[in-house]
Amino acid sequence: MPRLEGGFGDNLKVAVFGAGGGIGSALVESLADAPNVETVFAISRQGMNGAQCIAPVRCMDYTDDNIEALARDLPELDLVICALGILHGESFGPEKSRRDLSLENMQRVFHVNTFLPALIAKQMLPKMKRNTKSVFAALSARVGSISDNRLGGWYSYRASKAALNMMIKTMAIEHTRRFKNSAVIGLHPGTVDTALSKPFQNNVAKEKLFDPEFSAARLLDVVEKVGPLESGKIFAWDGQEILP
Ligand SMILES: NC(=O)c1ccc[n+]([C@@H]2O[C@H](COP(=O)([O-])OP(=O)(O)OC[C@H]3O[C@@H](n4cnc5c(N)ncnc54)[C@H](OP(=O)(O)O)[C@@H]3O)[C@@H](O)[C@H]2O)c1
């Protein structure tokens, strides 16, 4: 990709959490190509494939319990993108009906989609650059919009993303008070061809199923455009705001 524009400077230091995921790895690749990005911290639970960890990419592992220690090893950051999330696991899928609700599965989904991004934001927001533009973005989903919910179903995923959106808004209010050039936003990547969407792609028109590379490029376009006035909002890949 060309330079990361929109008020970002030079020698940028950026971090992607969930860097081993479909969208996360595409974001790492795009950012690594930008000539004004000095280092991309690719942060993943699984340890990244060695071929992906060539400068300017620096791979780092983390667990739920060491986010605070990880933050101590990072420099001041211009951009952090939290690209983790789950919709289904080996033994469970999104609920079709209220009859499918289970405490264990709700906890799993909220853990990854809401609690971890909030804990990552807790540790990363104090590390953001204060005097120049900085952006913290978490991957959310359009289905987390309460006003947009016409089909029902997917209880835990929808609710966990709605709760994530509230975390983003609340973090934004606190953060942007002191970090005047910053934005804390949520992003909807579109329907993207990744492991997360794989079982649900049958009914998606071909032109509406994005490659991770396309989605990553559009999301970075949005990141370029946002500033303090947009902080706390959720945006789709095409820049449209998604209402709560
Ligand atoms: N694909 C779509 O159509 C779509 C649509 C709307 C929203 N989204 C959102 O976009 C984001 C990225 O999704 P994706 O499509 O790239 O999915 P993906 O390929 O399945 O990647 C998701 C990543 O989330 C991390 N993750 C999963 N389980 C975790 C756990 N228990 N603890 C910590 N991290 C965990 C993993 O990253 P590491 O292995 O690197 O740790 C995983 O690779 C998610 O927030 C998703 O909700 C996707």
Side-chain angles (χ1 to χ4, degrees):
M1 85 170 256
R3 285 175 62 86
L4 197 59
E5 300 284 5
F8 284 110
D10 287 306
N11 308 319
L12 302 179
K13 296 181 181 67
V14 307
V16 178
F17 283 80
I23 298 170
S25 54
L27 284 164
V28 169
E29 267 180 45
S30 274
L31 287 163
D33 274 354
N36 56 337
V37 169
E38 185 181 286
T39 312
V40 184
F41 296 95
I43 304 169
S44 169
R45 293 162 309 162
Q46 49 181 335
M48 306 280 289
N49 164 356
Q52 296 168 289
C53 306
I54 294 168
V57 178
R58 264 194 59 193
C59 294
M60 298 172 90
D61 299 347
Y62 80 111
T63 63
D64 296 2
D65 302 324
N66 78 349
I67 303 168
E68 187 177 358
L70 173 97
R72 283 197 291 273
D73 288 340
L74 290 170
E76 274 196 335
L77 296 162
D78 300 274
L79 169 65
V80 174
I81 304 182
C82 185
L84 42 108
I86 54 168
L87 172 58
H88 56 89
E90 273 174 24
S91 58
F92 73 99
E95 308 89 352
K96 290 189 176 136
S97 153
R98 61 177 185 268
R99 289 186 298 276
D100 301 328
L101 287 170
S102 89
L103 180 60
E104 191 189 349
N105 293 341
M106 284 192 282
Q107 281 171 338
R108 280 189 199 172
V109 173
F110 270 78
H111 181 82
V112 183
N113 291 354
T114 315
F115 306 152
L116 279 180
L119 294 173
I120 290 169
K122 172 185 171 184
Q123 299 300 340
M124 292 299 128
L125 288 175
K127 306 239 41 152
M128 306 301 298
K129 286 252 174 77
R130 197 189 275 249
N131 298 321
T132 53
K133 171 167 174 164
S134 63
V135 177
F136 179 96
L139 273 275
S140 185
R142 189 184 296 281
V143 297
S145 163
I146 293 172
S147 53
D148 193 62
N149 184 357
R150 294 182 196 92
L151 289 176
W154 292 23
Y155 281 81
S156 302
Y157 187 74
R158 283 182 188 281
S160 66
K161 293 293 190 181
L164 171 65
N165 295 349
M166 181 58 94
M167 286 285 185
I168 289 166
K169 175 72 184 178
T170 309
M171 295 269 179
I173 291 170
E174 182 177 350
H175 184 69
T176 313
R177 241 180 238 145
R178 287 172 56 230
F179 289 67
K180 304 280 184 209
N181 296 307
S182 72
V184 180
I185 56 164
L187 291 170
H188 167 63
T191 305
V192 188
D193 185 9
T194 65
L196 181 140
S197 67
K198 212 40 126 210
F200 310 97
Q201 292 177 1
N202 280 349
N203 296 328
V204 181
K206 221 174 165 200
E207 66 281 7
K208 292 211 167 142
L209 183 64
F210 298 155
D211 288 337
E213 295 70 27
F214 173 84
S215 175
R218 299 289 75 75
L219 296 177
L220 293 175
D221 290 343
V222 177
V223 162
E224 287 182 329
K225 289 193 184 106
V226 297
L229 291 178
E230 287 74 35
S231 200
K233 298 182 177 176
I234 313 298
F235 296 96
W237 58 276
D238 57 1
Q240 293 289 319
E241 185 181 348
I242 296 177
L243 296 175

